[in-house]
Amino acid sequence: MKIQIWGKSKCFDTKKAERYFKERRIPYQAIDLLRYGMSRGELTSVKNAVGLDAMLNPKAADYALVQHLAYEQDKIERLLEDPSLLQTPIVRNGRQATVGYCPDVWKTWE
């Protein structure tokens, strides 16, 4: 199992997700979303698993703008430019992914 956690340093749910895997001694890679962002391939992989709307952070300043973009590709480009629009934590295990704190789903990965 290769777990990746994209999060923001001040995000409470990101810290809870990291603690979840740490307590179970499951190795994970923590990635600062605001500093490093996500590659197009990573973003597409997560989008295929959870859907684009689930990835958007409704509290982000430009949330409404992204919601009203007509084409999915335009939304993806905007998310690649500004990772602060993404909901955190994003937890990926291969082709499986979750957005937010989802311990019930993570239990099925063990």
Side-chain angles (χ1 to χ4, degrees):
M1 183 165 22
K2 177 71 172 153
I3 302 293
Q4 294 176 302
I5 303 173
W6 283 270
K8 300 171 188 165
S9 60
K10 295 183 180 182
C11 174
F12 183 68
D13 283 343
T14 298
K15 292 184 188 327
K16 283 179 17 182
E18 290 177 2
R19 186 171 41 238
Y20 175 90
F21 291 104
K22 194 177 292 182
E23 287 173 353
R24 286 154 184 79
R25 293 189 172 97
I26 298 170
Y28 64 90
Q29 177 186 14
I31 303 157
D32 185 336
L33 184 63
L34 297 179
R35 187 171 185 191
Y36 299 106
M38 292 181 87
S39 73
R40 183 177 305 279
E42 292 163 340
L43 185 70
T44 302
S45 174
V46 174
K47 175 192 71 77
N48 291 340
V50 300
L52 191 58
D53 289 335
M55 296 176 67
L56 294 174
N57 181 1
K59 296 176 184 170
D62 288 345
Y63 173 76
L65 173 74
V66 175
Q67 281 290 90
H68 293 293
L69 290 173
Y71 300 105
E72 186 175 276
Q73 192 57 40
D74 292 339
K75 291 180 183 181
I76 290 171
E77 291 300 324
R78 187 71 178 106
L79 292 174
L80 289 170
E81 290 170 14
D82 186 3
S84 70
L85 292 166
L86 292 166
Q87 182 80 4
T88 55
I90 298 171
V91 181
R92 188 173 79 160
N93 177 23
R95 293 183 184 261
Q96 300 172 309
T98 60
V99 177
Y101 184 70
C102 305
D104 294 338
V105 175
W106 302 333
K107 283 178 191 171
T108 65
W109 295 354
E110 296 176 19

